[in-house]
Amino acid sequence: MRNFVSRMAGELPPSGIRKFFDLLLTMDNVISLGVGEPDFDTPWNISQVAISSIEKGMTMYTSNRGLAELRELLSADLDQRYHTKYCPETEMIVTTGVSEGLDIAVRAVVDPGDEVLVVDPCFVSYQAEVLMAGGRPKTLPCSAQDGFKVTPDVLMESITPKSKVLLLNFPTNPTGGVMGKDDLQAIADIIIDHDLLVISDEVYAELTYDGHHVSTAAIDGLWERTITLNGFSKAYAMTGWRLGYLCAPKEMTDAALKIHQYVMMSAPTASQFAGIEALKNGEEAKNEMIAEYRIRRNLFVKGLNDVGLPCHLPKGAFYAFPSVEGTGLSDEEFAERLLREQHVAVVPGSAFGKNGRGHVRTCYAVDRAKLSEAVRRIGIFVESLHS
């Protein structure tokens, strides 16, 4: 029998995160800092509205673009919060999570052979999404010295005649790096001069701890060449609801909508009602969770530095990205031995690109008692390497 697996699927590398999750499932008493999702339950009023929508029989497809009320609320929220204006009828699509938004955005604009500039280190899906669309990912190296930002020099050096798209994600998974207004303005002219399109995944926008998030589309000259992605997963503790949205000028939204119609039809109806409630009455619970993440960040990052793992202060998301180079182990060796010897799960930085080597991703969306215990175990492990 011939091999029915497509060349693309066959050549696609597996996620570097899954290996450690699989190992973790075989062990007891593990503190997992490896999963990138909130440890809070979805606020009950949000869940209750979704349950009520099901009880009332509102379980059919919605408009392909999503419920009109949800898009109108999102449009007003983006305008108020980030000063970006999108028409809810023609410039927005409600998607099945940001993951689907990213997929249809990339497929709507990337032709085979097009080069997509991807920050390195970055979330594991980005390069894979480009490959699945037939594009060619080209990495933009970022470093702790630069706060894991995209600098003008690095961007200029990475652009080639085939470059078409710049894929940004700030605040960033896995580093917690943030691009402020000055940082984005510093690269805006380069983006415009080289006629690049930006796909900006801003799912961690609400989790910006020092200052306010600046949306890429809010920078002069970038709105018309930016596809903005966002969602409810991180800020509202709604990862399993799979609810996101895509905003862009009409011609790009129309193109993405055609793919969305064929692969998804519409986002889950109950989740869309939950999203409406989150926008109407979720602010207080969201702010309480964000305040707690800020406290955990400060405690955890101090703890990592105290036990000998140098770590920059992440300004957004809920990840810390300490260096493990001083231990003499590679990031993969460090993660595997830490899990086996102290039952603490972290993810090797190299899973997020070659510039992640020598670091590990740790998620501090874990309660304070577990975080303190994790730091204690990490300290014991690091000490054992020097004895």
Side-chain angles (χ1 to χ4, degrees):
M1 187 171 72
R2 62 178 168 171
N3 181 3
F4 290 101
V5 175
S6 72
R7 182 182 300 172
M8 181 278 292
E11 294 178 351
L12 203 62
S15 167
I17 296 178
R18 296 311 313 177
K19 170 184 172 183
F20 285 85
F21 287 172
D22 293 342
L23 178 59
L24 183 154
L25 293 174
T26 67
M27 303 175 68
D28 297 322
N29 189 29
V30 172
I31 298 175
S32 177
L33 309 179
V35 181
E37 66 177 340
D39 62 323
F40 296 103
D41 293 332
T42 302
W44 178 241
N45 62 308
I46 295 174
S47 298
Q48 202 166 31
V49 167
I51 293 167
S52 177
S53 74
I54 295 169
E55 290 174 338
K56 293 174 182 175
M58 293 186 284
T59 55
M60 314 298 255
Y61 295 132
T62 68
S63 157
N64 291 143
R65 286 187 182 272
L67 290 169
E69 182 181 4
L70 177 56
R71 282 180 281 129
E72 288 164 4
L73 287 167
L74 284 169
S75 177
D77 188 67
L78 290 170
D79 187 8
Q80 178 188 6
R81 204 174 297 279
Y82 305 126
H83 311 297
T84 52
K85 295 183 182 295
Y86 291 100
C87 171
E89 287 83 24
T90 61
E91 295 172 340
M92 305 185 78
I93 305 171
V94 178
T95 60
T96 306
V98 178
S99 297
E100 193 232 342
L102 174 66
D103 182 41
I104 64 176
V106 171
R107 286 201 277 166
V109 300
V110 172
D111 288 313
D114 285 341
E115 210 167 70
V116 178
L117 303 169
V118 183
V119 172
D120 180 358
C122 69
F123 180 48
V124 295
S125 291
Y126 294 157
Q127 295 199 41
E129 288 287 356
V130 175
L131 291 169
M132 288 191 289
R136 298 171 56 189
K138 181 175 175 58
T139 56
L140 284 168
C142 297
S143 67
Q145 290 74 24
D146 294 324
F148 292 106
K149 301 173 183 176
V150 175
T151 66
D153 288 345
V154 167
L155 180 57
M156 280 294 295
E157 291 168 4
S158 303
I159 293 172
T160 76
K162 292 186 177 180
S163 299
K164 185 176 185 181
V165 177
L166 170 61
L167 209 170
L168 298 178
N169 165 222
F170 291 98
T172 297
N173 175 4
T175 69
V178 165
M179 293 276 282
K181 186 175 182 179
D182 291 346
D183 302 312
L184 290 169
Q185 283 185 329
I187 63 172
D189 286 344
I190 300 171
I191 292 168
I192 295 167
D193 290 345
H194 290 82
D195 200 19
L196 299 178
L197 173 75
V198 180
I199 297 177
S200 185
D201 176 356
E202 301 180 16
V203 71
Y204 293 99
E206 302 283 322
L207 279 61
T208 301
Y209 305 112
D210 305 314
H212 299 286
H213 173 72
V214 178
S215 182
T216 304
I219 301 298
D220 289 344
L222 295 189
W223 184 92
E224 54 269 41
R225 55 177 68 244
T226 298
I227 299 176
T228 302
L229 308 174
N230 209 323
F232 293 77
S233 295
K234 312 300 182 180
Y236 293 98
M238 293 175 63
T239 50
W241 297 82
R242 310 312 302 133
L243 187 64
Y245 50 97
L246 178 157
C247 309
K250 183 177 182 303
E251 65 273 18
M252 286 182 274
T253 310
D254 286 348
L257 182 65
K258 285 190 281 187
I259 304 169
H260 175 72
Q261 288 169 333
Y262 286 123
V263 303
M264 201 58 67
M265 292 286 271
S266 61
T269 302
S271 297
Q272 294 190 56
F273 282 108
I276 290 172
E277 175 65 11
L279 291 170
K280 284 183 172 178
N281 299 302
E283 187 81 3
E284 183 177 348
K286 179 183 70 177
N287 289 339
E288 288 174 358
M289 289 187 278
I290 293 170
E292 176 63 20
Y293 292 142
R294 183 198 298 268
I295 294 170
R296 294 178 188 179
R297 176 198 67 163
N298 294 340
L299 291 172
F300 185 56
V301 171
K302 181 181 183 302
L304 290 174
N305 282 291
D306 287 347
V307 300
L309 296 185
C311 184
H312 79 114
L313 186 68
K315 294 185 177 179
F318 39 47
Y319 305 106
F321 204 59
S323 170
V324 298
E325 288 184 330
T327 66
L329 301 178
S330 71
D331 52 288
E332 286 213 7
E333 291 168 336
F334 183 95
E336 186 161 348
R337 285 189 56 183
L338 178 65
L339 180 56
R340 292 189 186 281
E341 295 176 26
Q342 290 296 329
H343 290 206
V344 176
V346 299
V347 181
S350 55
F352 305 94
K354 66 179 181 181
N355 283 288
R357 288 174 186 160
H359 294 76
V360 292
R361 189 190 78 170
T362 54
C363 175
Y364 53 81
V366 176
D367 71 53
R368 294 185 213 178
K370 287 183 180 176
L371 272 184
S372 296
E373 174 61 14
V375 169
R376 189 186 71 82
R377 295 185 190 184
I378 292 170
I380 292 172
F381 177 65
V382 172
E383 182 66 26
S384 73
L385 298 174
H386 297 305
S387 60

